[in-house]
Amino acid sequence: MAGTFITFEGIDGAGKTTQIELFTARLTAEGRSVLRTREPGGDAIAEAIRSVVLDRSLQPMEALTEAYLYAASRAQHVRQVLLPALDAGKTVLCDRFLDSSLAYQGYGRMLGAERVLAINREAVGELEPDWTVMLLLDPSEARARMHTKKLDRIEAERLDFHQRVYEGFREIALKHPQRVFLADAALPVEKLSEMIYAAWKSRG
Ligand code: TYD
């Protein structure tokens, strides 16, 4: 794999999209060829799966169905988008990846991280992020930040669900300190962006 695979993770309302935009601009300024993409989604089929899995009118959805839909979208995205871009030497910035399934379906839906990992094994194959930025914020503060947004099926879940997702992300970060940069999303946008870039520059 010639390129570099960077993922952004974190709870809903932590400001992930803004930080990816700022980080993309910084890496592009370095002269890197950057591809920005997202999960669930990234190509027409994976985006179609996204619209099913986030549709609030499709109720009730089994936790297992949800886990398979995210994994199906990932199987498509890995093969159609991520691997070709990485093979071509690009720096790929992905808004969410496997850690989101472990946190949301494994912890949030309580399927268990092991089971969710097993469901995703074939979907991801050997692909692993080189570096991950994880944005964490107290779930009630994150919810308050989203008050004007039309919430999707996952965002609309109760606070205790988001609390479990938060704990899941924290455990993943503690388990992979080399790969994951844990960032405090309560910081002002510019400050946070600078810290992320400094961490990227100084990573071993
Ligand atoms: P996201 O793109 O971050 O939402 P938005 O467009 O509102 O910024 O993610 C969509 C939702 O999907 C988010 O609530 C997290 C959830 N999700 C999972 O539950 N499992 C997964 O594997 C992924 C990738 C996302």
Side-chain angles (χ1 to χ4, degrees), residues 150-162:
K150 194 162 168 280
L151 301 182
D152 64 39
R153 199 176 58 80
I154 303 281
E155 287 165 340
E157 277 296 333
R158 289 161 36 159
L159 206 53
D160 60 330
F161 170 87
H162 291 286

Side-chain angles (χ1 to χ4, degrees), residues 12 16 50 70 74 96 101 104-105 149 154-155:
D12 293 289
K16 197 165 39 63
R50 177 187 178 94
Y70 281 112
R74 187 160 297 127
R96 300 193 181 281
S101 279
Y104 282 86
Q105 283 66 56
K149 190 175 186 269
I154 303 281
E155 287 165 340

Side-chain angles (χ1 to χ4, degrees), residues 19 145 184-193:
Q19 290 302 327
R145 281 189 186 185
D184 177 7
L187 290 168
V189 171
E190 265 308 321
K191 171 87 187 139
L192 185 55
S193 169

Side-chain angles (χ1 to χ4, degrees), residues 17-32:
T17 306
T18 308
Q19 290 302 327
I20 293 178
E21 275 165 15
L22 294 169
F23 194 64
T24 302
R26 289 182 195 268
L27 292 194
T28 307
E30 279 182 2
R32 285 173 177 263

